[in-house]
C-alpha cells in the first residue's frame, strides 16, 4: 500500500513534468521504513496493553514478533531504531532538498507513526487517520516533494486510492468488533455498531466510483479512469455480504485459513480488483496526456 501510494504521487509528478528519481526513491524508501516503524510500535503497544494476548484475529493475518517470541525486547527496540533512523535520515534529506511544506508533512507523518495505535485507534480516530495517511499525506505529499507545489487534483485522486485500504481496515475492525469492545479498544466500528459500520463500508466503496466519475466530468482526468466501472458487477455480491450481519460460522465454500475475517476479506477482494483497474486507468490517462 505504501509503495503504491508513493508510486501514484510519483506518477502524478511525472505527468506534471516534475519527476526526480533521487527525490522519489528517498520518498518511497522513507515512507516504507516509517510504515515499518509504525507496524512495530503498533504490535508493541497492543502487546503491552494485553490486546494481542492469545489474539486469534491478529495472528490470522501476520506474524507478531513479540507475541510469537521471535525477538527479545532489546532486539525489538534495536530493530525499531534502525527503521525509524532510516526514515528520519531520508526525511531530513528531503527537507534539506525541498523545504516548504516538506517539514510539515514529515511532522504529520511522525505524529501518525507514533500515535496511531494509541490513542487514535483506541478512540475512533484510527480509520480517519488511515484515510488521511494513505491519501493526501502519502500520495499528495509524494507529489509535493517532487513537484514543489500542492495539487488539489492529486489530493482528490489520492482519496480514491485511500478509500480502498480504509474499507479493508473498517471491515477488519467490524469483524472483531466484540473482541475490541471487550478489551476497551473503541475503534470507529465499536462506536458505530455493526449495522452502521457495514453501511459505512458500502458508502466508501460507492464513493470510490463516484469520485472517479466526478474527476472525469470535471476534466481533471480523462476517460481511461472510468475503467474502474468494470468492477461494478461485483457490487451485488458486496451488497449481499454487507447487507446482513456476519455469519456465526464460515460458509462451506469459504477459503480455508481466512475465517474469522469476513467483512475485511470481501473488502480486500474488491480493493485489490478496483485498485488494479484504477492504477491502470491513471497510467493510460498519463500516457495519453
Amino acid at each position: 500500500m505504501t509503495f503504491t501510494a508513493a508510486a501514484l504521487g510519483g506518477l502524478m509528478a511525472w505527468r506534471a513534468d516534475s519527476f526526480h528519481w533521487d527525490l522519489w526513491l528517498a520518498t518511497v524508501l522513507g515512507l516504507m521504513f516509517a510504515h515499518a516503524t509504525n507496524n512495530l510500535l503498533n504490535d508493541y503497544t497492543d502487546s503491552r496493553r494485553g490486546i494481542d494476548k492469545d489474539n486469534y484475529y491478529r495472528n490470522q493475518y501476520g506474524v507478531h514478533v513479540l507475541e510469537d517470541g521471535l525477538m527479545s525486547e532489546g532486539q525489538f527496540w534495536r530493530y525499531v531504531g534502525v527503521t525509524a533512523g532510516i526514515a528520519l535520515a531520508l526525511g531530513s534529506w528531503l527537507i534539506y532538498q525541498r523545504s516548504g511544506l516538506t517539514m510539515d508533512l514529515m511532522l504529520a507523518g511522525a505524529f501518525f507513526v507514533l500515535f496511531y495505535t494509541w490513542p487514535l485507534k483506541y478512540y475512533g480516530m484510527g480509520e480517519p487517520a488511515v484515510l488521511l495517511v494513505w491519501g493526501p499525506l502519502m500520495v499528495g505529499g509524494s507529489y509535493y516533494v517532487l513537484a514543489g507545489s500542492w495539487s488539489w487534483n492529486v489530493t482528490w485522486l489520492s482519496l480514491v486510492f485511500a478509500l480502498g485500504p480504509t474499507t479493508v481496515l473498517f471491515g477488519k475492525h467490524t469483524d472483531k468488533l466484540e473482541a475490541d469492545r471487550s478489551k476497551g479498544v473503541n475503534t470507529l466500528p465499536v462506536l458505530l455498531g455493526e449495522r452502521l459500520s457495514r453501511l459505512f463500508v458500502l458508502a466508501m466503496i460507492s464513493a470510490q466510483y463516484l469520485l472517479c466519475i466526478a474527476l472525469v466530468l470535471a476534466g481533471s482526468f480523462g476517460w481511461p479512469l472510468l475503467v474502474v466501472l468494470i468492477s461494478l458487477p461485483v457490487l451485488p455480491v458486496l451488497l449481499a455480504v454487507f447487507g446482513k450481519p456476519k455469519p456465526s460460522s464460515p460458509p462451506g465454500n469459504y477459503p480455508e485459513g481466512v475465517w474469522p475475517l469476513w467483512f475485511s476479506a470481501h473488502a480486500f477482494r474488491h480493493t485489490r480488483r478496483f485498485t488494479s483497474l484504477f492504477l491502470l486507468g491513471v497510467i493510460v490517462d498519463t500516457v495519453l496526456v
Side-chain angles (χ1 to χ4, degrees), residues 8 12 15 151-158 211-226 278 281-282 285-286 289:
L8 183 56
M12 291 298 97
R15 184 186 182 107
S151 168
W152 287 106
N153 280 340
V154 173
T155 302
W156 285 111
L157 189 77
S158 75
L211 273 172
C212 285
I213 294 171
L215 287 169
V216 172
L217 291 178
S220 302
F221 295 90
W223 62 264
L225 203 60
L226 297 180
F278 170 68
V282 173
D285 189 47
T286 300
V289 168

Side-chain angles (χ1 to χ4, degrees), residues 9-245:
L11 183 62
M12 291 298 97
W14 186 290
R15 184 186 182 107
D17 294 323
S18 300
F19 186 84
H20 306 277
W21 276 107
D22 55 345
L23 296 176
W24 182 77
L25 286 172
T27 299
V28 69
L29 288 172
L31 288 174
M32 291 175 73
F33 276 103
H35 188 183
T37 303
N38 172 255
N39 283 345
L40 290 165
L41 294 176
N42 184 22
D43 280 355
Y44 179 82
T45 302
D46 283 346
S47 177
R48 289 300 173 265
R49 293 176 70 90
I51 303 301
D52 288 339
K53 296 291 183 186
D54 303 316
N55 192 324
Y56 184 45
Y57 284 95
R58 174 60 183 85
N59 290 328
Q60 190 73 4
Y61 58 85
V63 173
H64 196 306
V65 294
L66 291 172
E67 290 298 319
D68 293 338
L70 301 178
M71 281 186 184
S72 67
E73 191 163 324
Q75 290 173 319
F76 174 85
W77 285 114
R78 286 194 291 274
Y79 193 179
V80 171
V82 171
T83 59
I86 293 173
L88 185 60
L90 289 168
S92 299
W93 182 77
L94 288 170
I95 291 171
Y96 173 76
Q97 293 293 320
R98 273 302 189 199
S99 66
L101 287 176
T102 310
M103 169 70 86
D104 302 296
L105 293 167
M106 182 176 171
L107 289 174
F111 172 81
F112 288 115
V113 166
L114 294 173
F115 300 115
Y116 165 76
T117 305
W118 190 90
L120 297 180
K121 187 177 75 174
Y122 281 62
Y123 295 98
M125 295 301 294
E127 296 81 7
V130 166
L131 183 64
L132 287 173
V133 168
W134 268 273
L137 189 57
M138 282 195 186
V139 179
S142 296
Y143 175 86
Y144 178 86
V145 168
L146 296 172
S149 61
W150 190 263
S151 168
W152 287 106
N153 280 340
V154 173
T155 302
W156 285 111
L157 189 77
S158 75
L159 291 176
V160 178
F161 169 76
L163 281 166
T166 307
T167 61
V168 177
L169 180 70
F170 223 96
K172 183 181 78 174
H173 287 171
T174 305
D175 281 330
K176 62 192 190 83
L177 187 153
E178 293 302 331
D180 280 341
R181 178 182 284 140
S182 68
K183 295 187 176 184
V185 183
N186 294 310
T187 62
L188 202 49
V190 169
L191 298 176
L192 294 173
E194 188 191 87
R195 181 177 179 278
L196 272 179
S197 297
R198 290 188 276 112
L199 294 177
F200 255 72
V201 174
L202 290 175
M204 287 188 287
I205 289 172
S206 301
Q208 289 184 284
Y209 292 95
L210 293 174
L211 273 172
C212 285
I213 294 171
L215 287 169
V216 172
L217 291 178
S220 302
F221 295 90
W223 62 264
L225 203 60
L226 297 180
V227 72
V228 298
L229 299 180
I230 293 175
S231 280
L232 282 177
V234 306
L235 290 187
V237 175
L238 290 173
L239 286 170
V241 169
F242 286 91
K244 52 190 176 184

